[in-house]
């Protein structure tokens, strides 16, 4: 009985303690904040892809667990780096607000009921360049470089304009621009090479999606004489992703290897050659590049052939006196044809007035010596090209073995082994001026070029921009025309100096 009394007394004490303790706590419901997009998807770690020139709209929905919660009172702040770029549940972002590539935006949501702070992040991937399309390097009235990009994904795509490159536009394109060359490799266009005569950098290799230089050749102190580098020519090797190719400085040829500029490629004792602004052709295929360099020498008036001797690639120890041409007086360099397939020729075209002479050599594989061997330069054709001194962008199409060039508003072509010009394409008479630059597409996955882009300029135009450009497909339109107009941009650009394009993959 005594034991039952003791247990009952303990139970009373416990109940009393609990009764007294219940008055020490204030129980309340906690508001839980949830942020989603309009589709109800959680916003955290969501990714948005944004093309250059485009705008994206983002709208969020905020909810709470309290019955009297008002989502309009929640404070939302959008932060990029250290900067607040927007506030509220509905925002609009333009690509110009972001650096090229991946950008992380933090969203800070403050619950007005509890002052609790919630943090979310989204990813904004910005492609500042284009994945496919046309690139035009131009110069403004002060000869400063301007780069124009036109995507070919749609005919209504916006024209993008750049005077500087880099994450913060810290790399000016430079004055007196020379050349822009799109690089194709692995079924895509990952980058492009850009060169200019003046500015901090003579050459840049630029990542196309972010428009950020990945390799640079500084102009200051990199000339062969120890002074500043002044180039007049640059051409990338065929599908060379690292930006390897040849530059011409004061008539001398220099090899650019993986973004590193080397000295004169000619290692002989008699170093008096002068290839002018770029009077050269060279073996350009991956398997045989570097086996030969040829050009018209302004001093000796000969077409010189430099051979690789199997020792140091891209260094030529001597000029072949037996394979080079004899002196050719009264002529000037007009054009060249390289990039030919195996066992075929390389041409140097020389001009005397409107008369064009076609000199060629062969580079064939000798299975006995197991080496590529050259033949002596000889004249294979001669003919008249009206207004030859006005010809623009003399190019060789290795797919169909024809030279092409532009005069006025017409592109002409002539066979590889002769000089018999014929009309290929004439632009419509719309007052946009004469052709100043043009090019075939950079597509190498097919057995022929598929597109062509042409830039014109009218110095007498009253428009703010005096330049225009056209995009044609090199496919019959079914109405007897061998090319099909795709799009045109009239009076939208400055004076073009170089065109490159990669339209199809």
């Amino acid at each position: 009985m005594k034991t039952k009394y003791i247990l009952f007394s303990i139970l009373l004490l416990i109940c009393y303690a609990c009764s007294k303790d219940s008055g020490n706590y204030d129980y309340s419901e906690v508001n839980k904040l949830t942020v989603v997009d309009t589709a109800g998807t959680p916003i955290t770690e969501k990714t948005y892809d944004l093309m250059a020139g485009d705008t994206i709209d983002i709208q969020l929905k905020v909810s709470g667990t309290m019955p009297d919660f008002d989502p309009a009172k929640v404070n939302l702040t959008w932060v990029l780096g250290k900067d607040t770029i927007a506030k509220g549940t509905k925002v609009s972002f333009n690509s110009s607000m972001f650096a090229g590539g991946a950008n992380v935006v933090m969203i800070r949501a403050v619950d007005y009921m509890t002052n609790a702070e919630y943090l979310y992040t989204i990813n904004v991937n910005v492609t500042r360049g284009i994945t496919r399309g046309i690139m035009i390097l131009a110069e403004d009235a002060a000869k400063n470089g301007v780069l124009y990009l036109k995507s070919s994904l749609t005919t209504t795509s916006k024209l993008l304009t750049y005077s500087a490159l880099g994450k913060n536009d810290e790399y000016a394109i430079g004055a007196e621009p020379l050349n822009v060359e799109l690089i194709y490799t692995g079924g895509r266009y990952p980058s492009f090479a850009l060169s200019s005569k003046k500015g901090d950098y003579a050459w840049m290799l630029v990542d196309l999606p972010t428009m950020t230089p990945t390799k640079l050749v500084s102009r200051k102190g990199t000339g062969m004489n120890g002074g500043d580098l002044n180039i007049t020519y640059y051409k990338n090797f065929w599908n060379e992703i690292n930006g390897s190719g040849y530059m011409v400085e004061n008539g001398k040829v220099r090899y650019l290897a993986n973004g590193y500029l080397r000295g004169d490629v000619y290692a002989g004792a008699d170093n008096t050659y002068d290839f002018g602004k770029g009077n050269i052709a060279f073996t350009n295929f991956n398997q045989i590049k570097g086996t030969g360099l040829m050009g018209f020498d302004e001093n000796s008036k000969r077409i010189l052939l430099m051979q690789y001797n199997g020792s140091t690639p891209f260094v030529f120890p001597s000029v072949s006196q037996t394979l080079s041409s004899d002196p050719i007086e009264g002529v000037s360099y007009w054009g060249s044809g390289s990039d030919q397939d195996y066992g075929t020729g390389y041409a140097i075209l020389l001009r005397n007035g409107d008369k064009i002479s076609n000199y060629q050599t062969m580079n064939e594989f000798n299975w006995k010596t197991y080496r590529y061997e050259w033949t002596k330069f000889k004249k294979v054709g001669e003919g008249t090209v009206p207004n030859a001194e006005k010809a623009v962008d003399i190019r060789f199409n290795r797919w169909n073995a024809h030279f092409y060039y532009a005069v006025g508003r017409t592109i002409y072509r002539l066979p590889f082994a002769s000089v018999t010009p014929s009309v290929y394409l004439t632009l419509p008479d719309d007052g946009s001026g004469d052709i100043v630059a043009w090019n075939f597409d950079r597509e190498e996955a097919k057995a022929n070029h598929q597109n062509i882009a042409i830039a014109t300029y009218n110095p007498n135009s009253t428009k703010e921009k005096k330049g225009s450009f056209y995009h044609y497909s090199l496919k019959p339109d079914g109405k007897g025309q061998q090319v099909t107009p795709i799009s045109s941009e009239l009076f939208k650009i400055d004076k073009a100096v170089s065109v490159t394009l990669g339209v199809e993959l």
Side-chain angles (χ1 to χ4, degrees):
M1 186 71 181
K2 183 177 181 181
T3 301
K4 291 182 179 180
Y5 176 78
I6 294 173
L7 291 174
F8 180 74
S9 299
I10 293 174
L11 181 62
L12 286 177
L13 288 173
I14 292 174
C15 291
Y16 175 78
C18 291
S19 174
K20 297 286 289 182
D21 186 62
S22 64
N24 294 334
Y25 295 90
D26 182 17
Y27 291 101
S28 62
E29 187 177 353
V30 176
N31 186 49
K32 183 179 179 182
L33 209 63
T34 302
V35 179
V36 297
D37 63 11
T38 53
T41 305
I43 194 66
T44 299
E45 301 298 333
K46 191 164 184 180
T47 298
Y48 297 88
D49 295 318
L50 193 58
M51 293 293 294
D54 289 345
T55 299
I56 189 171
D57 297 320
I58 303 175
Q59 187 169 359
L60 304 181
K61 294 192 300 184
V62 182
S63 60
T65 55
M66 296 289 287
D68 56 345
F69 173 75
D70 183 1
K73 293 183 179 181
V74 174
N75 183 5
L76 261 69
T77 304
W78 305 66
V79 180
L80 176 63
K82 297 180 180 180
D83 300 324
T84 298
I85 58 175
K87 291 185 177 182
T89 58
K90 187 175 181 180
V91 298
S92 182
F93 292 145
N94 186 272
S95 63
S96 61
M97 301 170 63
F98 303 92
N103 298 264
V104 178
V105 177
M106 184 180 70
I107 304 169
R108 179 174 177 266
V110 178
D111 182 2
Y112 73 97
M113 300 184 75
T114 63
N115 284 326
E117 182 179 280
Y118 297 78
L119 297 179
Y120 309 87
T121 58
I122 62 172
N123 300 308
V124 180
N125 296 327
V126 178
T127 301
R128 295 189 68 198
I130 56 177
T131 56
R132 289 183 288 171
I134 300 169
M135 307 180 72
I136 299 175
L137 182 61
E139 60 182 19
D140 61 18
K143 294 189 177 298
N144 293 314
V146 184
L147 185 63
Y148 296 93
L149 277 64
K150 170 78 171 179
S151 173
S152 62
L153 296 180
T154 64
T155 56
T156 58
S157 60
K158 297 178 182 179
L159 183 65
L160 308 178
T161 306
Y162 295 90
S163 58
L165 308 171
K167 186 175 182 179
N168 299 305
D169 295 332
E170 62 267 41
Y171 302 99
I173 290 176
E176 297 185 30
L178 278 173
N179 185 40
V180 60
E181 197 164 359
L182 188 64
I183 294 174
Y184 168 87
T185 183
R188 63 191 184 98
Y189 309 108
S191 57
F192 64 93
L194 186 150
S195 55
S196 62
K197 292 182 181 180
K198 296 181 179 179
D200 292 336
Y201 302 99
W203 177 88
M204 304 179 189
L205 184 67
V206 184
D207 177 66
L208 185 55
T210 63
M211 298 297 285
T212 300
T214 57
K215 297 181 186 295
L216 299 163
V217 172
S218 176
R219 193 179 309 278
K220 189 173 181 60
T222 57
M224 283 195 295
N225 60 0
D228 291 347
L229 176 63
N230 296 297
I231 64 172
T232 54
Y233 174 96
Y234 167 76
K235 182 171 175 56
N236 195 70
F237 283 131
W238 185 72
N239 290 357
E240 178 55 69
I241 190 173
N242 293 320
S244 296
Y246 284 133
M247 287 184 175
V248 175
E249 177 193 7
N250 297 325
K252 307 296 184 186
V253 181
R254 302 182 66 177
Y255 170 46
L256 184 67
N258 196 23
Y260 173 73
L261 184 59
R262 298 183 179 179
D264 194 342
V265 298
Y266 181 63
D270 182 17
N271 194 12
T272 61
Y273 80 95
D274 181 355
F275 284 158
K277 293 181 178 180
N279 308 346
I280 65 173
F282 50 87
T283 51
N284 198 19
F285 272 78
N286 290 353
Q287 294 88 339
I288 61 172
K289 65 185 181 183
T291 62
L293 172 69
M294 61 215 74
F296 181 69
D297 179 18
E298 300 284 353
N299 290 329
S300 69
K301 299 299 180 182
R302 302 171 65 202
I303 301 174
L304 304 183
L305 178 60
M306 300 179 181
Q307 291 178 278
Y308 168 52
N309 69 349
S311 176
T312 306
F314 309 105
V315 174
F316 307 99
S318 63
V319 170
S320 173
Q321 299 300 324
T322 59
L323 300 179
S324 299
S325 75
D326 298 326
I328 309 168
E329 299 296 338
V331 297
S332 60
Y333 173 83
W334 194 65
S336 64
S338 59
D339 300 352
Q340 272 279 70
D341 209 342
Y342 304 107
T344 53
Y346 293 78
I348 298 288
L349 305 179
L350 302 179
R351 183 178 73 87
N352 184 349
D354 283 348
K355 186 173 70 174
I356 302 299
S357 299
N358 187 336
Y359 288 81
Q360 295 187 6
T361 181
M362 303 288 284
N363 180 227
E364 298 180 310
F365 190 77
N366 187 326
W367 290 98
K368 293 181 179 180
T369 62
Y370 215 71
R371 293 179 61 181
Y372 285 95
E373 296 182 359
W374 296 88
T375 60
K376 181 179 175 63
F377 263 102
K378 64 179 181 179
K379 184 162 63 174
V380 300
E382 188 174 84
T384 299
V385 173
N387 299 307
E389 76 282 0
K390 297 180 181 179
V392 173
D393 283 341
I394 302 161
R395 301 187 182 280
F396 179 68
N397 184 335
R398 69 183 180 91
W399 295 113
N400 61 21
H402 276 74
F403 284 101
Y404 291 77
Y405 64 93
V407 173
R409 293 182 62 78
T410 298
I411 293 179
Y412 300 85
R413 72 177 191 168
L414 50 90
F416 179 66
S418 67
V419 184
T420 309
S422 61
V423 173
Y424 178 69
L425 186 158
T426 299
L427 296 176
D429 188 12
D430 54 19
S432 64
D434 291 342
I435 298 172
V436 290
W438 70 276
N439 209 340
F440 293 110
D441 62 83
R442 193 64 182 84
E443 176 59 66
E444 299 288 355
K446 296 180 174 63
N448 207 335
H449 295 299
Q450 303 292 309
N451 296 268
I452 188 173
I454 306 168
T456 63
Y457 183 75
N458 184 353
N460 300 317
S461 172
T462 58
K463 306 285 187 180
E464 180 181 357
K465 299 286 187 181
K466 302 179 186 298
S468 307
F469 69 94
Y470 307 78
H471 172 201
Y472 285 85
S473 170
L474 302 182
K475 302 173 184 177
D477 63 357
K479 301 178 182 179
Q481 299 295 322
Q482 294 304 305
V483 295
T484 303
I486 300 298
S487 64
S488 61
E489 297 280 352
L490 300 183
F491 304 105
K492 297 289 185 63
I493 64 173
D494 290 293
K495 186 177 182 180
V497 299
S498 178
V499 174
T500 187
L501 64 156
V503 172
E504 299 185 15
L505 289 173

